[in-house]
Amino acid sequence: MPNPLADALTISKSTDSCKRFAELEDGNVVTYAEFFDGARQIASLITSCGIKPGDRVAVMVEKSIAVLQTYLGSVMSGAAFLPLNPAYTDSEVRFFLQDASPSLFICDPARQDTLSTSAKSEGVRDVLTLDANGSGSLKNRIHYARRDCDPVPRSYDDLAAILYTSGTTGRPKGAMLSHGSLVSNAATLKSLWRFTKSDVLLHALPVHHTHGLFVATNVALMAGCSLLYFQKFDAEKIVRALARATVMMGVPTFYTRLLKREEISKSELSNMRLFISGSAPLRTETHREWERRTGHRILERYGMTEANMIASIPYDGPRKPGTVGIPLPGVQTRICDPETGRIVPEGEIGMLEVRGSGMFSGYWNMPDKTRREHREGGFFMTGDLARVDEDSFLAIEGRAKDLIISGGMNIYPKEVEAVIDDVPGILESAVFAAPHEDFGEGVVAAVVADSEVEVTEREIRDHIAANLAKYKHPKHIAFRKFLPRNSMGKVQKTMLRDEHGTVFASC
């Protein structure tokens, strides 16, 4: 019996094992043979730890090649990979350990003392460490692990990974992704975007997120191409590396920052064949300025944690700013009235609903929530407002679920509001987005304080810093006497956006 995802991601091992898999920032090179060898050792280690098929392996470490090997090793062992943002605070991590009940937790050595205590209290069987340089107890223990273990048999419906995505209620939801959904989506993207073993993908995305892990990495491994592997986005380093790449995947922030570099020009990017943008809307101005400066039209695509990639601008043909293309093969979409579920007339805005082979299997431990998010017939309600234009291209018009996407990262206002409201002296708060040239959207918090209690902005920010990852922090805090409400008592965030929507105009 095969292991569908492991088989797909190691398809190049028999013919291209000596080929360069990744070049790191320091110039060191990892071959495919070395990469697969390390992944097999980690798979053997996971199995030796008593991890059974379907058990969760939680990983919260800085980006490195070892993280990708741990991902592949988890898949080979039959476990479900659970990547967590290393920016999470200790209190945030405790929730994930409690909810997902991983059998193995891998964290940074610098946070081992506090996180080990939390992990043990939540019943985690084993805790290992791994830092950005690949050092830690994980490396020490794989030194003795076997290199010749075979992947554990799994089916297309078996769980391969869980990715948490916050909900509007504030409780994160674990989207369960099967072997079949990840294989199907990556194979489709590889074909649509014409990846081959000759490509060199510039990889500067985080690998705790679907974009950097399941889009960039899965597609690269299935194509057998090479990576220029950066721990994080650094415009100066990226500009120098583009001359040796053929493809770059990024979020809109990458492109806005690169456009500030004088070196970006047609001559410097002559080797590139494709620029892809996703995870957040790309401004029309950015799209047009990139084409003017480089001669390349950015290819936009649209997806979400629960559905992998849903739509893409075709490789050939027009790449229209403000649209995300057409549904991927095997994906069905429809635009419906959010309340009634009736399909709206062509050209009108409604909620985007989707079904297909790349869909998630449901929310971990939340069967009722899973049912509520689906219509009859299996269509998933994305919560995104969209329309279909005259060329049958999807255009995303907004987010019914009040989601903020800043620098490609999802931020849910309710979670931030709950932390702010916990500050002594704060009566209430409302968190929303304002346009930001660099991040696409910046987080704004409107707060109402008790008139008899002195609360400073520094006190609020200190409390937020202790409880939320940095990317969720408001970039602007506005003190108000009251929050605008409608007749039903609901806070009118539209009015707040109108009043504070230009706070980042000078950014």
Side-chain angles (χ1 to χ4, degrees):
M1 187 176 178
N3 181 311
L5 186 54
D7 293 345
L9 299 183
T10 59
I11 195 169
S12 61
K13 68 179 183 296
S14 60
T15 56
D16 296 328
S17 60
C18 294
K19 177 185 171 68
R20 175 178 299 197
F21 169 63
E23 180 182 326
L24 311 184
E25 291 181 60
D26 60 7
N28 286 329
V29 170
V30 179
T31 67
Y32 265 92
E34 292 168 331
F35 178 75
F36 290 141
D37 194 43
R40 283 190 293 269
Q41 284 184 288
I42 292 175
S44 178
L45 172 60
I46 291 173
T47 302
S48 70
C49 289
I51 310 301
K52 299 179 177 61
D55 285 352
R56 277 71 61 205
V57 173
V59 178
M60 193 183 79
V61 297
E62 297 296 335
K63 183 179 180 181
S64 68
I65 287 294
V67 175
L68 299 187
Q69 290 174 315
T70 304
Y71 160 52
L72 181 53
S74 297
V75 173
M76 288 177 167
S77 73
F81 187 69
L82 171 57
L84 297 173
N85 190 337
Y88 284 140
T89 64
D90 292 357
S91 61
E92 289 172 307
V93 175
R94 279 194 292 272
F95 168 81
F96 299 115
L97 297 179
Q98 181 182 60
D99 190 63
S101 300
S103 296
L104 174 63
F105 178 45
I106 303 172
C107 65
D108 192 287
R111 300 179 66 180
Q112 180 181 10
D113 291 343
T114 56
L115 292 179
S116 289
T117 301
S118 296
K120 295 299 183 183
S121 68
E122 298 301 338
V124 178
R125 181 178 302 157
D126 208 347
V127 177
L128 298 176
T129 61
L130 178 69
D131 67 17
N133 297 315
S135 299
S137 60
L138 175 69
K139 180 179 179 181
N140 297 336
R141 287 177 61 172
I142 65 171
H143 180 73
Y144 303 100
R146 293 174 53 197
R147 291 174 166 82
D148 58 351
C149 63
D150 293 324
V152 173
R154 304 300 282 157
S155 74
Y156 280 88
D157 293 331
D158 281 330
L159 184 63
I162 298 176
L163 284 188
Y164 273 88
T165 177
S166 296
T168 52
T169 62
R171 177 190 172 184
K173 302 169 294 184
M176 299 185 290
L177 300 164
S178 69
H179 280 250
S181 68
L182 294 175
V183 169
S184 171
N185 207 247
T188 297
L189 296 176
K190 170 182 170 289
S191 175
L192 285 180
W193 296 339
R194 302 184 185 179
F195 269 79
T196 71
K197 65 176 65 176
S198 299
D199 275 311
V200 178
L201 173 65
L202 196 155
H203 194 308
L205 294 161
V207 291
H208 59 265
H209 189 276
T210 187
H211 194 171
L213 187 61
F214 297 142
V215 180
T217 304
N218 283 2
V219 169
L221 284 169
M222 289 183 72
C225 70
S226 299
L227 303 177
L228 297 178
Y229 198 68
F230 291 84
Q231 190 174 54
K232 62 182 180 179
F233 181 84
D234 181 309
E236 182 177 354
K237 293 179 180 179
I238 298 301
V239 167
R240 292 200 301 266
L242 281 171
R244 296 184 290 117
T246 62
V247 183
M248 185 180 88
M249 294 185 192
V251 298
T253 302
F254 286 14
Y255 295 99
T256 59
R257 291 183 179 179
L258 287 173
L259 282 170
K260 294 178 181 178
R261 306 288 305 189
E262 294 181 358
E263 307 97 304
I264 292 295
S265 65
K266 294 180 182 179
S267 60
E268 291 297 319
L269 304 180
S270 59
N271 194 51
M272 294 291 297
R273 71 169 182 86
L274 182 61
F275 289 96
I276 302 170
S277 181
S279 296
L282 183 72
R283 297 171 63 213
T284 298
E285 295 85 348
T286 303
H287 194 290
R288 291 174 176 161
E289 179 62 11
W290 188 264
E291 182 182 13
R292 188 188 71 80
R293 290 270 299 275
T294 71
H296 287 274
R297 292 180 71 82
I298 297 171
L299 187 151
E300 287 192 79
R301 89 303 181 277
Y302 163 75
M304 60 194 312
T305 302
E306 292 92 338
N308 290 297
M309 291 304 102
I310 295 169
S312 173
I313 295 286
Y315 190 88
D316 293 319
R319 297 181 184 175
K320 299 173 61 177
T323 69
V324 294
I326 59 178
L328 270 56
V331 174
Q332 294 175 277
T333 60
R334 63 186 188 185
I335 311 295
C336 298
D337 181 287
E339 299 299 326
T340 66
R342 291 195 297 267
I343 297 176
V344 303
E346 185 174 346
E348 290 190 12
I349 296 174
M351 184 187 290
L352 178 65
E353 300 184 2
V354 59
R355 70 179 179 187
S357 58
M359 296 298 298
F360 74 133
S361 306
Y363 293 117
W364 176 260
N365 283 339
M366 300 178 75
D368 292 339
K369 179 68 173 176
T370 300
R371 282 192 293 271
R372 290 196 299 270
E373 297 290 322
H374 286 81
R375 302 274 192 197
E376 282 189 37
F379 275 91
F380 172 68
M381 295 179 284
T382 65
D384 287 334
L385 300 177
R387 63 179 174 84
V388 176
D389 73 6
E390 64 278 5
D391 295 318
S392 299
F393 277 30
L394 277 173
I396 307 301
E397 299 292 342
R399 293 179 295 281
K401 295 181 179 179
D402 209 20
L403 171 69
I404 299 170
I405 301 180
S406 184
M409 302 300 293
N410 291 356
I411 303 163
Y412 287 82
K414 187 69 174 180
E415 182 183 21
V416 185
E417 290 165 358
V419 171
I420 294 175
D421 292 348
D422 196 44
V423 176
I426 293 297
L427 299 178
E428 60 179 345
S429 64
V431 171
F432 52 96
H436 192 291
E437 181 181 358
D438 196 14
F439 291 91
E441 291 181 337
V443 179
V444 179
V447 301
V448 178
D450 187 334
S451 60
E452 298 182 4
V453 178
E454 183 178 351
V455 183
T456 66
E457 181 174 335
R458 174 47 52 197
E459 289 174 320
I460 296 173
R461 291 195 177 280
D462 287 346
H463 185 74
I464 293 171
N467 290 278
L468 292 174
K470 188 174 182 179
Y471 70 86
K472 301 177 185 178
H473 295 189
K475 297 185 184 302
H476 178 76
I477 296 176
F479 284 85
R480 298 175 57 93
K481 293 182 178 180
F482 63 90
L483 299 179
R485 283 180 161 79
N486 64 13
S487 59
M488 299 297 291
K490 183 177 180 180
V491 174
Q492 298 295 280
K493 289 190 178 181
T494 299
M495 296 178 65
L496 290 172
R497 292 187 189 99
D498 289 342
E499 293 181 45
H500 301 282
T502 59
V503 293
F504 305 126
S506 61
C507 293

